PDB file of all heavy atoms in Angstrom:
ATOM      1  N   GLY G   1       0.779  -1.222   0.005  1.00 57.00           N
ATOM      2  CA  GLY G   1      -0.004   0.009  -0.002  1.00 57.00           C
ATOM      3  C   GLY G   1       0.811   1.265   0.000  1.00 57.00           C
ATOM      4  O   GLY G   1       0.312   2.333   0.377  1.00 57.00           O
ATOM      5  N   ASN G   2       2.063   1.222  -0.401  1.00 57.00           N
ATOM      6  CA  ASN G   2       2.925   2.410  -0.417  1.00 57.00           C
ATOM      7  C   ASN G   2       2.570   3.225  -1.650  1.00 57.00           C
ATOM      8  O   ASN G   2       2.687   2.771  -2.764  1.00 57.00           O
ATOM      9  CB  ASN G   2       4.390   1.994  -0.434  1.00 57.00           C
ATOM     10  CG  ASN G   2       5.296   3.218  -0.321  1.00 57.00           C
ATOM     11  OD1 ASN G   2       4.838   4.317  -0.075  1.00 57.00           O
ATOM     12  ND2 ASN G   2       6.587   2.991  -0.493  1.00 57.00           N
ATOM     13  N   HIS G   3       2.177   4.474  -1.446  1.00 65.00           N
ATOM     14  CA  HIS G   3       1.801   5.363  -2.546  1.00 65.00           C
ATOM     15  C   HIS G   3       2.671   6.602  -2.583  1.00 65.00           C
ATOM     16  O   HIS G   3       2.199   7.700  -2.879  1.00 65.00           O
ATOM     17  CB  HIS G   3       0.331   5.747  -2.435  1.00 65.00           C
ATOM     18  CG  HIS G   3      -0.604   4.596  -2.429  1.00 65.00           C
ATOM     19  ND1 HIS G   3      -0.876   3.847  -3.550  1.00 65.00           N
ATOM     20  CD2 HIS G   3      -1.311   4.029  -1.421  1.00 65.00           C
ATOM     21  CE1 HIS G   3      -1.727   2.899  -3.255  1.00 65.00           C
ATOM     22  NE2 HIS G   3      -2.019   2.945  -1.959  1.00 65.00           N
ATOM     23  N   ARG G   4       3.944   6.443  -2.317  1.00 72.00           N
ATOM     24  CA  ARG G   4       4.855   7.592  -2.312  1.00 72.00           C
ATOM     25  C   ARG G   4       6.101   7.268  -3.097  1.00 72.00           C
ATOM     26  O   ARG G   4       6.669   6.172  -2.966  1.00 72.00           O
ATOM     27  CB  ARG G   4       5.230   7.932  -0.853  1.00 72.00           C
ATOM     28  CG  ARG G   4       6.090   9.193  -0.742  1.00 72.00           C
ATOM     29  CD  ARG G   4       6.521   9.443   0.701  1.00 72.00           C
ATOM     30  NE  ARG G   4       7.294  10.625   0.855  1.00 72.00           N
ATOM     31  CZ  ARG G   4       6.786  11.807   1.123  1.00 72.00           C
ATOM     32  NH1 ARG G   4       5.496  11.955   1.237  1.00 72.00           N
ATOM     33  NH2 ARG G   4       7.545  12.899   1.190  1.00 72.00           N
ATOM     34  N   GLY G   5       6.534   8.205  -3.933  1.00 78.00           N
ATOM     35  CA  GLY G   5       7.757   8.031  -4.737  1.00 78.00           C
ATOM     36  C   GLY G   5       8.982   8.392  -3.910  1.00 78.00           C
ATOM     37  O   GLY G   5       8.918   9.122  -2.940  1.00 78.00           O
ATOM     38  N   GLU G   6      10.136   7.894  -4.392  1.00 84.00           N
ATOM     39  CA  GLU G   6      11.402   8.142  -3.712  1.00 84.00           C
ATOM     40  C   GLU G   6      12.501   8.365  -4.737  1.00 84.00           C
ATOM     41  O   GLU G   6      12.672   7.559  -5.646  1.00 84.00           O
ATOM     42  CB  GLU G   6      11.770   6.971  -2.782  1.00 84.00           C
ATOM     43  CG  GLU G   6      13.108   7.175  -2.080  1.00 84.00           C
ATOM     44  CD  GLU G   6      13.538   5.918  -1.368  1.00 84.00           C
ATOM     45  OE1 GLU G   6      12.811   4.908  -1.403  1.00 84.00           O
ATOM     46  OE2 GLU G   6      14.622   5.945  -0.761  1.00 84.00           O
ATOM     47  N   CYS G   7      13.228   9.470  -4.618  1.00 88.00           N
ATOM     48  CA  CYS G   7      14.333   9.768  -5.534  1.00 88.00           C
ATOM     49  C   CYS G   7      15.566   8.981  -5.035  1.00 88.00           C
ATOM     50  O   CYS G   7      16.083   9.218  -3.948  1.00 88.00           O
ATOM     51  CB  CYS G   7      14.648  11.269  -5.529  1.00 88.00           C
ATOM     52  SG  CYS G   7      15.966  11.735  -6.660  1.00 88.00           S
ATOM     53  N   ILE G   8      16.023   8.021  -5.878  1.00 90.00           N
ATOM     54  CA  ILE G   8      17.130   7.167  -5.467  1.00 90.00           C
ATOM     55  C   ILE G   8      18.458   7.571  -6.112  1.00 90.00           C
ATOM     56  O   ILE G   8      19.513   7.251  -5.576  1.00 90.00           O
ATOM     57  CB  ILE G   8      16.812   5.688  -5.797  1.00 90.00           C
ATOM     58  CG1 ILE G   8      16.507   5.482  -7.279  1.00 90.00           C
ATOM     59  CG2 ILE G   8      15.642   5.209  -4.950  1.00 90.00           C
ATOM     60  CD1 ILE G   8      16.307   4.062  -7.679  1.00 90.00           C
ATOM     61  N   LEU G   9      18.426   8.245  -7.259  1.00 92.00           N
ATOM     62  CA  LEU G   9      19.641   8.712  -7.917  1.00 92.00           C
ATOM     63  C   LEU G   9      19.413  10.136  -8.425  1.00 92.00           C
ATOM     64  O   LEU G   9      18.333  10.440  -8.967  1.00 92.00           O
ATOM     65  CB  LEU G   9      20.034   7.794  -9.079  1.00 92.00           C
ATOM     66  CG  LEU G   9      20.424   6.344  -8.716  1.00 92.00           C
ATOM     67  CD1 LEU G   9      20.698   5.557  -9.992  1.00 92.00           C
ATOM     68  CD2 LEU G   9      21.605   6.295  -7.795  1.00 92.00           C
ATOM     69  N   GLU G  10      20.406  10.986  -8.324  1.00 92.00           N
ATOM     70  CA  GLU G  10      20.290  12.383  -8.744  1.00 92.00           C
ATOM     71  C   GLU G  10      21.430  12.775  -9.670  1.00 92.00           C
ATOM     72  O   GLU G  10      22.518  12.270  -9.590  1.00 92.00           O
ATOM     73  CB  GLU G  10      20.295  13.309  -7.524  1.00 92.00           C
ATOM     74  CG  GLU G  10      19.113  13.163  -6.580  1.00 92.00           C
ATOM     75  CD  GLU G  10      19.119  14.202  -5.480  1.00 92.00           C
ATOM     76  OE1 GLU G  10      19.081  15.377  -5.813  1.00 92.00           O
ATOM     77  OE2 GLU G  10      19.160  13.811  -4.300  1.00 92.00           O
ATOM     78  N   ASN G  11      21.087  13.720 -10.555  1.00 92.00           N
ATOM     79  CA  ASN G  11      22.087  14.337 -11.474  1.00 92.00           C
ATOM     80  C   ASN G  11      22.858  13.284 -12.259  1.00 92.00           C
ATOM     81  O   ASN G  11      24.081  13.248 -12.298  1.00 92.00           O
ATOM     82  CB  ASN G  11      23.068  15.211 -10.659  1.00 92.00           C
ATOM     83  CG  ASN G  11      23.868  16.153 -11.554  1.00 92.00           C
ATOM     84  OD1 ASN G  11      23.359  16.648 -12.545  1.00 92.00           O
ATOM     85  ND2 ASN G  11      25.100  16.371 -11.200  1.00 92.00           N
ATOM     86  N   ILE G  12      22.111  12.417 -12.955  1.00 92.00           N
ATOM     87  CA  ILE G  12      22.699  11.342 -13.744  1.00 92.00           C
ATOM     88  C   ILE G  12      22.780  11.734 -15.202  1.00 92.00           C
ATOM     89  O   ILE G  12      21.828  12.262 -15.760  1.00 92.00           O
ATOM     90  CB  ILE G  12      21.836  10.047 -13.607  1.00 92.00           C
ATOM     91  CG1 ILE G  12      21.723   9.652 -12.124  1.00 92.00           C
ATOM     92  CG2 ILE G  12      22.460   8.930 -14.399  1.00 92.00           C
ATOM     93  CD1 ILE G  12      23.026   9.376 -11.439  1.00 92.00           C
ATOM     94  N   LEU G  13      23.945  11.517 -15.815  1.00 92.00           N
ATOM     95  CA  LEU G  13      24.175  11.867 -17.204  1.00 92.00           C
ATOM     96  C   LEU G  13      23.484  10.854 -18.144  1.00 92.00           C
ATOM     97  O   LEU G  13      23.589   9.648 -17.945  1.00 92.00           O
ATOM     98  CB  LEU G  13      25.677  11.889 -17.513  1.00 92.00           C
ATOM     99  CG  LEU G  13      26.093  12.095 -18.957  1.00 92.00           C
ATOM    100  CD1 LEU G  13      25.699  13.477 -19.426  1.00 92.00           C
ATOM    101  CD2 LEU G  13      27.602  11.902 -19.095  1.00 92.00           C
ATOM    102  N   VAL G  14      22.823  11.386 -19.158  1.00 90.00           N
ATOM    103  CA  VAL G  14      22.172  10.560 -20.193  1.00 90.00           C
ATOM    104  C   VAL G  14      23.151  10.340 -21.337  1.00 90.00           C
ATOM    105  O   VAL G  14      23.612  11.309 -21.946  1.00 90.00           O
ATOM    106  CB  VAL G  14      20.855  11.218 -20.678  1.00 90.00           C
ATOM    107  CG1 VAL G  14      20.258  10.391 -21.781  1.00 90.00           C
ATOM    108  CG2 VAL G  14      19.893  11.386 -19.538  1.00 90.00           C
ATOM    109  N   LEU G  15      23.468   9.093 -21.624  1.00 87.00           N
ATOM    110  CA  LEU G  15      24.359   8.785 -22.725  1.00 87.00           C
ATOM    111  C   LEU G  15      23.644   8.628 -24.062  1.00 87.00           C
ATOM    112  O   LEU G  15      24.158   9.003 -25.120  1.00 87.00           O
ATOM    113  CB  LEU G  15      25.142   7.487 -22.421  1.00 87.00           C
ATOM    114  CG  LEU G  15      26.085   7.537 -21.220  1.00 87.00           C
ATOM    115  CD1 LEU G  15      26.713   6.187 -21.003  1.00 87.00           C
ATOM    116  CD2 LEU G  15      27.165   8.588 -21.416  1.00 87.00           C
ATOM    117  N   ALA G  16      22.481   8.033 -24.019  1.00 83.00           N
ATOM    118  CA  ALA G  16      21.721   7.761 -25.259  1.00 83.00           C
ATOM    119  C   ALA G  16      20.249   7.719 -24.909  1.00 83.00           C
ATOM    120  O   ALA G  16      19.841   7.423 -23.775  1.00 83.00           O
ATOM    121  CB  ALA G  16      22.159   6.497 -25.917  1.00 83.00           C
ATOM    122  N   ALA G  17      19.440   7.999 -25.929  1.00 82.00           N
ATOM    123  CA  ALA G  17      17.988   7.953 -25.765  1.00 82.00           C
ATOM    124  C   ALA G  17      17.410   6.990 -26.803  1.00 82.00           C
ATOM    125  O   ALA G  17      16.922   7.379 -27.839  1.00 82.00           O
ATOM    126  CB  ALA G  17      17.347   9.338 -25.929  1.00 82.00           C
ATOM    127  N   GLY G  18      17.585   5.707 -26.541  1.00 67.00           N
ATOM    128  CA  GLY G  18      17.094   4.570 -27.284  1.00 67.00           C
ATOM    129  C   GLY G  18      16.596   4.780 -28.712  1.00 67.00           C
ATOM    130  O   GLY G  18      17.261   5.388 -29.521  1.00 67.00           O
ATOM    131  N   GLN G  19      15.428   4.295 -29.014  1.00 54.00           N
ATOM    132  CA  GLN G  19      14.838   4.457 -30.329  1.00 54.00           C
ATOM    133  C   GLN G  19      14.181   5.846 -30.429  1.00 54.00           C
ATOM    134  O   GLN G  19      13.296   6.163 -29.661  1.00 54.00           O
ATOM    135  CB  GLN G  19      13.787   3.380 -30.576  1.00 54.00           C
ATOM    136  CG  GLN G  19      14.338   1.977 -30.534  1.00 54.00           C
ATOM    137  CD  GLN G  19      13.271   0.931 -30.725  1.00 54.00           C
ATOM    138  OE1 GLN G  19      12.123   1.275 -30.948  1.00 54.00           O
ATOM    139  NE2 GLN G  19      13.632  -0.340 -30.646  1.00 54.00           N
ATOM    140  N   VAL G  20      14.610   6.611 -31.383  1.00 49.00           N
ATOM    141  CA  VAL G  20      14.098   7.939 -31.591  1.00 49.00           C
ATOM    142  C   VAL G  20      13.480   8.039 -32.974  1.00 49.00           C
ATOM    143  O   VAL G  20      14.139   7.808 -33.963  1.00 49.00           O
ATOM    144  CB  VAL G  20      15.184   9.039 -31.418  1.00 49.00           C
ATOM    145  CG1 VAL G  20      14.596  10.408 -31.635  1.00 49.00           C
ATOM    146  CG2 VAL G  20      15.848   8.908 -30.058  1.00 49.00           C
ATOM    147  N   PHE G  21      12.168   8.379 -33.054  1.00 45.00           N
ATOM    148  CA  PHE G  21      11.496   8.497 -34.309  1.00 45.00           C
ATOM    149  C   PHE G  21      11.138   9.964 -34.513  1.00 45.00           C
ATOM    150  O   PHE G  21      10.510  10.605 -33.676  1.00 45.00           O
ATOM    151  CB  PHE G  21      10.200   7.648 -34.296  1.00 45.00           C
ATOM    152  CG  PHE G  21      10.472   6.200 -34.043  1.00 45.00           C
ATOM    153  CD1 PHE G  21      10.409   5.692 -32.759  1.00 45.00           C
ATOM    154  CD2 PHE G  21      10.777   5.337 -35.068  1.00 45.00           C
ATOM    155  CE1 PHE G  21      10.647   4.353 -32.517  1.00 45.00           C
ATOM    156  CE2 PHE G  21      11.032   3.995 -34.827  1.00 45.00           C
ATOM    157  CZ  PHE G  21      10.957   3.512 -33.538  1.00 45.00           C
ATOM    158  N   THR G  22      11.555  10.508 -35.629  1.00 45.00           N
ATOM    159  CA  THR G  22      11.368  11.927 -35.892  1.00 45.00           C
ATOM    160  C   THR G  22      10.429  12.090 -37.093  1.00 45.00           C
ATOM    161  O   THR G  22      10.655  11.479 -38.152  1.00 45.00           O
ATOM    162  CB  THR G  22      12.701  12.620 -36.198  1.00 45.00           C
ATOM    163  OG1 THR G  22      13.597  12.361 -35.113  1.00 45.00           O
ATOM    164  CG2 THR G  22      12.513  14.116 -36.375  1.00 45.00           C
ATOM    165  N   ARG G  23       9.425  12.944 -36.928  1.00 43.00           N
ATOM    166  CA  ARG G  23       8.539  13.309 -38.023  1.00 43.00           C
ATOM    167  C   ARG G  23       8.865  14.721 -38.448  1.00 43.00           C
ATOM    168  O   ARG G  23       8.797  15.661 -37.620  1.00 43.00           O
ATOM    169  CB  ARG G  23       7.065  13.192 -37.588  1.00 43.00           C
ATOM    170  CG  ARG G  23       6.630  11.721 -37.409  1.00 43.00           C
ATOM    171  CD  ARG G  23       5.195  11.642 -36.987  1.00 43.00           C
ATOM    172  NE  ARG G  23       5.011  12.127 -35.632  1.00 43.00           N
ATOM    173  CZ  ARG G  23       3.814  12.178 -35.037  1.00 43.00           C
ATOM    174  NH1 ARG G  23       2.748  11.782 -35.684  1.00 43.00           N
ATOM    175  NH2 ARG G  23       3.732  12.626 -33.801  1.00 43.00           N
ATOM    176  N   ALA G  24       9.172  14.908 -39.671  1.00 44.00           N
ATOM    177  CA  ALA G  24       9.643  16.237 -40.145  1.00 44.00           C
ATOM    178  C   ALA G  24       8.615  17.307 -39.934  1.00 44.00           C
ATOM    179  O   ALA G  24       8.950  18.469 -39.672  1.00 44.00           O
ATOM    180  CB  ALA G  24      10.044  16.140 -41.609  1.00 44.00           C
ATOM    181  N   GLU G  25       7.311  16.954 -40.055  1.00 45.00           N
ATOM    182  CA  GLU G  25       6.303  17.986 -39.956  1.00 45.00           C
ATOM    183  C   GLU G  25       6.075  18.441 -38.517  1.00 45.00           C
ATOM    184  O   GLU G  25       5.654  19.567 -38.288  1.00 45.00           O
ATOM    185  CB  GLU G  25       4.973  17.486 -40.555  1.00 45.00           C
ATOM    186  CG  GLU G  25       4.325  16.320 -39.800  1.00 45.00           C
ATOM    187  CD  GLU G  25       4.872  14.982 -40.245  1.00 45.00           C
ATOM    188  OE1 GLU G  25       5.889  14.965 -40.956  1.00 45.00           O
ATOM    189  OE2 GLU G  25       4.293  13.928 -39.857  1.00 45.00           O
ATOM    190  N   GLU G  26       6.381  17.585 -37.535  1.00 42.00           N
ATOM    191  CA  GLU G  26       6.097  17.943 -36.136  1.00 42.00           C
ATOM    192  C   GLU G  26       7.392  17.950 -35.282  1.00 42.00           C
ATOM    193  O   GLU G  26       7.348  18.445 -34.162  1.00 42.00           O
ATOM    194  CB  GLU G  26       5.095  16.964 -35.521  1.00 42.00           C
ATOM    195  CG  GLU G  26       3.728  17.025 -36.193  1.00 42.00           C
ATOM    196  CD  GLU G  26       2.754  16.070 -35.542  1.00 42.00           C
ATOM    197  OE1 GLU G  26       3.154  15.413 -34.559  1.00 42.00           O
ATOM    198  OE2 GLU G  26       1.596  15.984 -35.992  1.00 42.00           O
ATOM    199  N   ARG G  27       8.438  17.311 -35.763  1.00 48.00           N
ATOM    200  CA  ARG G  27       9.681  17.211 -34.999  1.00 48.00           C
ATOM    201  C   ARG G  27       9.441  16.565 -33.632  1.00 48.00           C
ATOM    202  O   ARG G  27      10.007  16.936 -32.615  1.00 48.00           O
ATOM    203  CB  ARG G  27      10.346  18.563 -34.811  1.00 48.00           C
ATOM    204  CG  ARG G  27      10.560  19.351 -36.088  1.00 48.00           C
ATOM    205  CD  ARG G  27      11.593  18.713 -36.979  1.00 48.00           C
ATOM    206  NE  ARG G  27      12.887  18.641 -36.335  1.00 48.00           N
ATOM    207  CZ  ARG G  27      13.954  18.017 -36.845  1.00 48.00           C
ATOM    208  NH1 ARG G  27      13.839  17.408 -38.026  1.00 48.00           N
ATOM    209  NH2 ARG G  27      15.105  18.009 -36.227  1.00 48.00           N
ATOM    210  N   SER G  28       8.576  15.558 -33.618  1.00 46.00           N
ATOM    211  CA  SER G  28       8.295  14.907 -32.334  1.00 46.00           C
ATOM    212  C   SER G  28       9.212  13.734 -32.130  1.00 46.00           C
ATOM    213  O   SER G  28       9.717  13.129 -33.077  1.00 46.00           O
ATOM    214  CB  SER G  28       6.835  14.410 -32.323  1.00 46.00           C
ATOM    215  OG  SER G  28       6.643  13.454 -33.335  1.00 46.00           O
ATOM    216  N   LEU G  29       9.427  13.364 -30.869  1.00 49.00           N
ATOM    217  CA  LEU G  29      10.353  12.301 -30.494  1.00 49.00           C
ATOM    218  C   LEU G  29       9.624  11.262 -29.632  1.00 49.00           C
ATOM    219  O   LEU G  29       8.834  11.614 -28.748  1.00 49.00           O
ATOM    220  CB  LEU G  29      11.530  12.842 -29.703  1.00 49.00           C
ATOM    221  CG  LEU G  29      12.387  13.893 -30.433  1.00 49.00           C
ATOM    222  CD1 LEU G  29      13.429  14.448 -29.467  1.00 49.00           C
ATOM    223  CD2 LEU G  29      13.075  13.296 -31.624  1.00 49.00           C
ATOM    224  N   THR G  30       9.874  10.013 -29.877  1.00 52.00           N
ATOM    225  CA  THR G  30       9.333   8.926 -29.047  1.00 52.00           C
ATOM    226  C   THR G  30      10.510   8.065 -28.582  1.00 52.00           C
ATOM    227  O   THR G  30      11.163   7.443 -29.402  1.00 52.00           O
ATOM    228  CB  THR G  30       8.343   8.084 -29.841  1.00 52.00           C
ATOM    229  OG1 THR G  30       7.282   8.943 -30.339  1.00 52.00           O
ATOM    230  CG2 THR G  30       7.742   7.023 -28.963  1.00 52.00           C
ATOM    231  N   THR G  31      10.735   8.057 -27.299  1.00 51.00           N
ATOM    232  CA  THR G  31      11.907   7.358 -26.727  1.00 51.00           C
ATOM    233  C   THR G  31      11.431   6.108 -26.006  1.00 51.00           C
ATOM    234  O   THR G  31      10.531   6.164 -25.172  1.00 51.00           O
ATOM    235  CB  THR G  31      12.650   8.280 -25.760  1.00 51.00           C
ATOM    236  OG1 THR G  31      12.996   9.466 -26.466  1.00 51.00           O
ATOM    237  CG2 THR G  31      13.918   7.612 -25.265  1.00 51.00           C
ATOM    238  N   ARG G  32      12.061   4.955 -26.323  1.00 77.00           N
ATOM    239  CA  ARG G  32      11.710   3.671 -25.680  1.00 77.00           C
ATOM    240  C   ARG G  32      12.645   3.319 -24.513  1.00 77.00           C
ATOM    241  O   ARG G  32      12.215   2.775 -23.553  1.00 77.00           O
ATOM    242  CB  ARG G  32      11.717   2.573 -26.745  1.00 77.00           C
ATOM    243  CG  ARG G  32      10.766   2.804 -27.904  1.00 77.00           C
ATOM    244  CD  ARG G  32       9.345   2.879 -27.439  1.00 77.00           C
ATOM    245  NE  ARG G  32       8.411   3.048 -28.540  1.00 77.00           N
ATOM    246  CZ  ARG G  32       7.141   3.285 -28.430  1.00 77.00           C
ATOM    247  NH1 ARG G  32       6.612   3.427 -27.205  1.00 77.00           N
ATOM    248  NH2 ARG G  32       6.338   3.435 -29.480  1.00 77.00           N
ATOM    249  N   THR G  33      13.898   3.614 -24.680  1.00 85.00           N
ATOM    250  CA  THR G  33      14.878   3.329 -23.622  1.00 85.00           C
ATOM    251  C   THR G  33      15.779   4.538 -23.457  1.00 85.00           C
ATOM    252  O   THR G  33      15.992   5.312 -24.375  1.00 85.00           O
ATOM    253  CB  THR G  33      15.746   2.096 -23.989  1.00 85.00           C
ATOM    254  OG1 THR G  33      16.464   2.369 -25.178  1.00 85.00           O
ATOM    255  CG2 THR G  33      14.892   0.872 -24.122  1.00 85.00           C
ATOM    256  N   VAL G  34      16.320   4.644 -22.241  1.00 88.00           N
ATOM    257  CA  VAL G  34      17.251   5.716 -21.930  1.00 88.00           C
ATOM    258  C   VAL G  34      18.482   5.069 -21.289  1.00 88.00           C
ATOM    259  O   VAL G  34      18.333   4.293 -20.331  1.00 88.00           O
ATOM    260  CB  VAL G  34      16.644   6.776 -20.988  1.00 88.00           C
ATOM    261  CG1 VAL G  34      17.690   7.761 -20.547  1.00 88.00           C
ATOM    262  CG2 VAL G  34      15.480   7.494 -21.677  1.00 88.00           C
ATOM    263  N   THR G  35      19.667   5.373 -21.814  1.00 90.00           N
ATOM    264  CA  THR G  35      20.911   4.814 -21.290  1.00 90.00           C
ATOM    265  C   THR G  35      21.594   5.855 -20.418  1.00 90.00           C
ATOM    266  O   THR G  35      21.856   6.990 -20.872  1.00 90.00           O
ATOM    267  CB  THR G  35      21.823   4.385 -22.443  1.00 90.00           C
ATOM    268  OG1 THR G  35      21.110   3.461 -23.295  1.00 90.00           O
ATOM    269  CG2 THR G  35      23.077   3.729 -21.901  1.00 90.00           C
ATOM    270  N   LEU G  36      21.912   5.461 -19.212  1.00 93.00           N
ATOM    271  CA  LEU G  36      22.512   6.359 -18.216  1.00 93.00           C
ATOM    272  C   LEU G  36      23.959   6.004 -17.915  1.00 93.00           C
ATOM    273  O   LEU G  36      24.361   4.840 -18.064  1.00 93.00           O
ATOM    274  CB  LEU G  36      21.696   6.332 -16.911  1.00 93.00           C
ATOM    275  CG  LEU G  36      20.202   6.540 -17.042  1.00 93.00           C
ATOM    276  CD1 LEU G  36      19.538   6.357 -15.680  1.00 93.00           C
ATOM    277  CD2 LEU G  36      19.874   7.891 -17.612  1.00 93.00           C
ATOM    278  N   ALA G  37      24.752   6.980 -17.498  1.00 93.00           N
ATOM    279  CA  ALA G  37      26.126   6.753 -17.080  1.00 93.00           C
ATOM    280  C   ALA G  37      26.135   6.628 -15.546  1.00 93.00           C
ATOM    281  O   ALA G  37      25.849   7.612 -14.870  1.00 93.00           O
ATOM    282  CB  ALA G  37      27.029   7.892 -17.540  1.00 93.00           C
ATOM    283  N   LEU G  38      26.459   5.464 -15.051  1.00 94.00           N
ATOM    284  CA  LEU G  38      26.390   5.177 -13.588  1.00 94.00           C
ATOM    285  C   LEU G  38      27.687   4.628 -13.064  1.00 94.00           C
ATOM    286  O   LEU G  38      28.436   3.980 -13.815  1.00 94.00           O
ATOM    287  CB  LEU G  38      25.264   4.195 -13.297  1.00 94.00           C
ATOM    288  CG  LEU G  38      23.863   4.544 -13.799  1.00 94.00           C
ATOM    289  CD1 LEU G  38      22.928   3.375 -13.521  1.00 94.00           C
ATOM    290  CD2 LEU G  38      23.350   5.804 -13.157  1.00 94.00           C
ATOM    291  N   THR G  39      27.923   4.849 -11.798  1.00 94.00           N
ATOM    292  CA  THR G  39      29.040   4.171 -11.138  1.00 94.00           C
ATOM    293  C   THR G  39      28.600   2.718 -10.821  1.00 94.00           C
ATOM    294  O   THR G  39      27.416   2.416 -10.827  1.00 94.00           O
ATOM    295  CB  THR G  39      29.395   4.874  -9.815  1.00 94.00           C
ATOM    296  OG1 THR G  39      28.270   4.779  -8.931  1.00 94.00           O
ATOM    297  CG2 THR G  39      29.730   6.327 -10.081  1.00 94.00           C
ATOM    298  N   PRO G  40      29.553   1.823 -10.560  1.00 93.00           N
ATOM    299  CA  PRO G  40      29.165   0.443 -10.241  1.00 93.00           C
ATOM    300  C   PRO G  40      28.172   0.361  -9.066  1.00 93.00           C
ATOM    301  O   PRO G  40      27.259  -0.463  -9.085  1.00 93.00           O
ATOM    302  CB  PRO G  40      30.497  -0.242  -9.942  1.00 93.00           C
ATOM    303  CG  PRO G  40      31.487   0.527 -10.756  1.00 93.00           C
ATOM    304  CD  PRO G  40      31.018   1.952 -10.718  1.00 93.00           C
ATOM    305  N   ASP G  41      28.342   1.176  -8.026  1.00 93.00           N
ATOM    306  CA  ASP G  41      27.422   1.150  -6.878  1.00 93.00           C
ATOM    307  C   ASP G  41      26.035   1.612  -7.325  1.00 93.00           C
ATOM    308  O   ASP G  41      25.021   1.058  -6.855  1.00 93.00           O
ATOM    309  CB  ASP G  41      27.944   2.048  -5.776  1.00 93.00           C
ATOM    310  CG  ASP G  41      29.191   1.444  -5.102  1.00 93.00           C
ATOM    311  OD1 ASP G  41      29.410   0.226  -5.232  1.00 93.00           O
ATOM    312  OD2 ASP G  41      29.920   2.219  -4.462  1.00 93.00           O
ATOM    313  N   GLN G  42      25.973   2.631  -8.195  1.00 93.00           N
ATOM    314  CA  GLN G  42      24.673   3.077  -8.667  1.00 93.00           C
ATOM    315  C   GLN G  42      23.986   2.037  -9.529  1.00 93.00           C
ATOM    316  O   GLN G  42      22.736   1.932  -9.510  1.00 93.00           O
ATOM    317  CB  GLN G  42      24.866   4.379  -9.432  1.00 93.00           C
ATOM    318  CG  GLN G  42      25.207   5.588  -8.550  1.00 93.00           C
ATOM    319  CD  GLN G  42      25.531   6.819  -9.358  1.00 93.00           C
ATOM    320  OE1 GLN G  42      25.915   6.751 -10.537  1.00 93.00           O
ATOM    321  NE2 GLN G  42      25.374   7.973  -8.761  1.00 93.00           N
TER     322      GLN G  42
END
C-alpha cells in the first residue's frame, strides 16, 4: 500500500535515448529506452 515516490539517484548523465522516431512535420520524439552513465554502486 505504499503510494509515495522516492528519488534514489540524482544528477545522472544521459548517454543515449534509445529508439528515436522523428517526423519532419512535427519534429516529435518517441523514446523507448534511456541509457545512463552510472558508477558500479549506482
Side-chain angles (χ1 to χ4, degrees):
N2 186 8
H3 301 288
R4 185 183 182 91
E6 178 188 0
C7 182
I8 57 175
L9 296 176
E10 296 186 58
N11 195 34
I12 303 300
L13 174 65
V14 177
L15 296 177
Q19 299 178 3
V20 180
F21 302 93
T22 305
R23 289 181 290 179
E25 65 275 11
E26 296 181 2
R27 305 293 297 175
S28 62
L29 300 174
T30 303
T31 305
R32 301 299 183 188
T33 61
V34 173
T35 304
L36 308 176
L38 306 174
T39 64
D41 290 340
Q42 290 174 335

